[in-house]
Amino acid sequence: MPARALIDPYDVYQHLMDYWAETMQDDCYLIAADGWKAEAARIIEKDKKGKEKDKGWTCDLIPSGLIVRRYFAKEQAANRATRY
């Protein structure tokens, strides 16, 4: 019986290209266009009465959940403990 490869090289290439198109391409564009800076921006929304409400913050380059888990783990745990 002839030996068969465990993985198909084209499948690996396609997986990498899909990941590039879905994830990496936008991040690399942001870094190339703006430099290596991750600036947070406030999310302000207006309610039905026209009053502005602060809905937190967002960052185009680094997901907020990653920042919270990395730098605010104690605060997040305390917040969860008081909610339940």
Side-chain angles (χ1 to χ4, degrees), residues 37-78:
K37 60 181 180 179
E39 295 178 348
R42 300 302 302 175
I43 302 171
I44 307 294
E45 294 181 355
K46 289 188 178 184
D47 62 11
K48 293 178 183 177
K49 297 179 182 178
K51 184 177 179 183
E52 291 185 346
K53 291 198 168 216
D54 188 351
K55 295 288 190 174
W57 60 276
T58 186
C59 181
D60 291 335
L61 193 56
I62 302 172
S64 59
L66 182 64
I67 299 293
V68 170
R69 282 192 304 272
R70 173 67 173 92
Y71 295 103
F72 302 104
K74 290 178 188 174
E75 292 86 349
Q76 185 180 31

Side-chain angles (χ1 to χ4, degrees), residues 35 58 80 82:
T58 186
R80 286 184 179 159
T82 59

Side-chain angles (χ1 to χ4, degrees), residues 28-42:
C28 290
Y29 175 77
L30 285 171
I31 293 168
D34 299 332
W36 181 254
K37 60 181 180 179
E39 295 178 348
R42 300 302 302 175

